[in-house]
Amino acid sequence: VASHNTVGASSEAPITLSVGGGLPFVDTGSPMPAGCDSVVPFNELRLTDERSLEVRRPSAPWRNVRPIG
């Protein structure tokens, strides 16, 4: 995700993101999609419907991201 899209997220006030453009899925070790600077683990997400997920914790830039090499 783009970390700025998760600012203010909490379990009491989750932020809903659409699957696809704003919330691409990546496998461990895969390159980061353009425009993304953070990875939110599955256990911090909640499926709300077929196209939306709730983020329940803000994600800082480069959280869960490692440099190549």
Side-chain angles (χ1 to χ4, degrees), residues 1-68:
V1 299
S3 59
H4 68 269
N5 290 332
T6 67
V7 172
S10 70
S11 56
E12 295 81 26
I15 292 176
T16 302
L17 298 175
S18 296
V19 175
L23 190 66
F25 286 91
V26 295
D27 291 321
T28 301
S30 295
M32 291 291 288
C36 296
D37 65 359
S38 183
V39 174
V40 179
F42 277 130
N43 64 330
E44 294 180 16
L45 300 172
R46 184 167 113 22
L47 184 66
T48 57
D49 60 41
E50 292 179 0
R51 305 289 306 157
S52 301
L53 293 169
E54 285 183 344
V55 178
R56 298 174 167 268
R57 175 182 172 187
S59 197
W62 309 114
R63 179 172 167 244
N64 298 315
V65 177
R66 298 179 84 177
I68 295 174

